Amino acid sequence: MTNISLESRLGNQVFPNLMTNASGVMCISGEELDKMLESNAGGIITKSATTNYRPGNPTPRQQLLELGSINSMGIPNEGLDFYLKFVLDHQNNEKPIILSVSGLSVEENKELFTQIQSSNFNGLIELNLSCPNVVGKPQVGYDFPTIKEELDTVFSVCDKQIGVKLPPYFDFFQFDQVAEILNQFPIAYVNTINSIGNGMAVDLKNESAYIKPKGGFGGIGGEFIKPIALSNVRAFRKRLNPEIQIIGTGGIKNGSDVFEHVLCGADIVQIGTELWREGTGVFDRLADELKIIMEEKGYTKLSDFRGKLKEL
Ligand code: SIN
């Protein structure tokens, strides 16, 4: 299968294969990021950064489930200086590194993007508008005027390549309105979807919630969420300007899931729950499985089938 390529381009970055971690998994500490560097992932994304170190929510705050996961991490991170240094130190690696940013207010994002603008970083920056787990803060991605305000603000201080991480949407009016806002900006890509916010998982044996923050409510990831992830990839691919690319995130467990994300329109994909469950060997397994499917179908590159989902 040496003639099958999984290479993909996102903005100005070439990913030797289309798979990276999903932000939050294997990307908070320097040790985890180093493991990602050593892995066969095609790229890396850092944990969403705030201005300062954040310890995050009280533990237990994450739990693997039979069909996925629940988490309410609360954006534990080392602060922007740490992640900006990491991406600058590895700027010319073969593996692109996306710098994720999640200020807790428009003003904080303005300062964070001003700092990134004044650095030499020339890769992709992701504005996370979709964390469901910060106590007392609603998800910006469900507040459409604030999405516009955030984008007006960061693009007014930063002319680098910026992507946006979105929450899942569930209705066509949401797809239409969000796409209409995003199409007004020179966005490099959208990353869809973040976890499905405020789910509940119950520990039957102990008759309790699995996680402590917010009384047990948390973001749901993994197999549970694949149909919603695919619908969001597809819905945005059909609505966004063609130059806005797409990262497909959600529910990838097997090579066939990667294939489906690309068929719906994903340019690259991210793996969260399954990376957590399986470790970095997941990238090798998924690549092998995807190549077998592509070979069976006579495809040699991702563009042979990207976005080509047949509608009946
Ligand atoms: C978290 O840190 O709580 C998760 C971040 C996110 O979902 O964006």
Side-chain angles (χ1 to χ4, degrees):
M1 282 186 286
T2 47
N3 62 339
I4 294 184
S5 168
L6 301 184
E7 183 181 287
S8 196
R9 182 179 282 274
L10 191 71
N12 64 356
Q13 304 286 298
V14 178
F15 291 70
N17 74 67
L18 76 165
M19 295 175 290
T20 86
N21 61 310
S23 182
V25 182
M26 291 287 295
C27 62
I28 298 177
S29 67
E31 198 180 34
E32 289 176 329
L33 287 163
D34 286 343
K35 276 199 192 134
M36 281 301 301
L37 280 172
E38 287 159 20
S39 76
N40 282 325
I44 302 173
I45 185 163
T46 61
K47 177 65 182 172
S48 299
T50 50
T51 310
N52 299 314
Y53 165 80
R54 268 177 69 86
N57 290 339
T59 59
R61 57 191 184 184
Q62 56 182 346
Q63 176 68 41
L64 281 171
L65 306 168
E66 198 182 336
L67 296 177
S69 63
I70 185 166
N71 88 82
S72 181
M73 301 297 285
I75 322 190
N77 78 94
E78 300 289 338
L80 180 65
D81 289 349
F82 175 87
Y83 299 106
L84 190 52
K85 179 172 183 324
F86 182 83
V87 295
L88 287 169
D89 285 348
H90 300 91
Q91 176 121 269
N92 298 316
N93 275 21
E94 174 200 342
K95 216 180 270 214
I97 305 175
I98 303 171
L99 177 63
S100 176
V101 173
S102 190
L104 301 186
S105 65
V106 176
E107 198 45 47
E108 185 177 359
N109 277 324
K110 184 176 184 181
E111 283 167 21
L112 293 166
F113 276 81
T114 302
Q115 182 180 346
I116 298 165
Q117 175 70 15
S118 65
S119 75
N120 290 326
F121 183 57
N122 61 17
L124 298 159
I125 309 154
E126 183 165 296
L127 173 63
N128 181 0
L129 295 178
S130 48
C131 177
N133 305 326
V134 180
V135 177
K137 296 266 178 193
Q139 282 169 273
V140 171
Y142 292 128
D143 173 354
F144 301 163
T146 306
I147 295 180
K148 170 123 180 12
E149 192 187 350
E150 290 274 10
L151 293 173
D152 273 331
T153 303
V154 300
F155 280 106
S156 73
V157 295
C158 184
D159 65 3
K160 301 190 184 217
Q161 295 194 98
I162 301 172
V164 183
K165 179 88 174 263
L166 298 174
Y169 298 105
F170 302 95
D171 194 287
F172 277 41
F173 97 86
Q174 295 176 312
F175 296 135
D176 291 343
Q177 291 191 8
V178 174
E180 202 252 317
I181 295 167
L182 299 176
N183 280 335
Q184 297 169 36
F185 294 90
I187 290 170
Y189 70 87
V190 300
N191 186 346
T192 179
I193 57 174
N194 206 321
S195 57
I196 298 184
N198 299 309
M200 174 65 69
V202 172
D203 176 348
L204 190 63
K205 182 163 163 256
N206 293 310
E207 301 178 26
S208 74
Y210 274 114
I211 58 173
K212 183 176 170 86
K214 293 174 73 175
F217 289 81
I220 304 295
E223 274 174 277
F224 291 123
I225 74 168
K226 186 179 77 169
I228 303 299
L230 293 176
S231 72
N232 278 255
V233 170
R234 181 73 176 157
F236 281 111
R237 186 61 288 151
K238 291 182 76 147
R239 287 166 177 78
L240 291 174
N241 298 335
E243 59 275 14
I244 301 181
Q245 294 185 275
I246 295 192
I247 300 181
T249 304
I252 293 178
K253 183 174 180 171
N254 297 307
S256 55
D257 304 319
V258 180
F259 187 93
E260 290 174 16
H261 266 268
V262 175
L263 196 64
C264 286
D267 291 280
I268 71 166
V269 299
Q270 294 187 333
I271 294 102
T273 299
E274 202 53 32
L275 170 60
W276 173 10
R277 198 187 292 280
E278 212 173 309
T280 53
V282 71
F283 296 110
D284 304 272
R285 179 177 66 78
L286 293 175
D288 289 348
E289 291 173 1
L290 178 59
K291 283 182 179 175
I292 289 169
I293 295 167
M294 287 172 66
E295 186 174 50
E296 280 167 5
K297 290 175 176 285
Y299 298 140
T300 58
K301 55 190 185 308
L302 299 168
S303 57
D304 289 344
F305 59 98
R306 178 176 287 126
K308 294 186 180 168
L309 180 77
K310 293 176 197 142
E311 292 181 9
L312 305 180

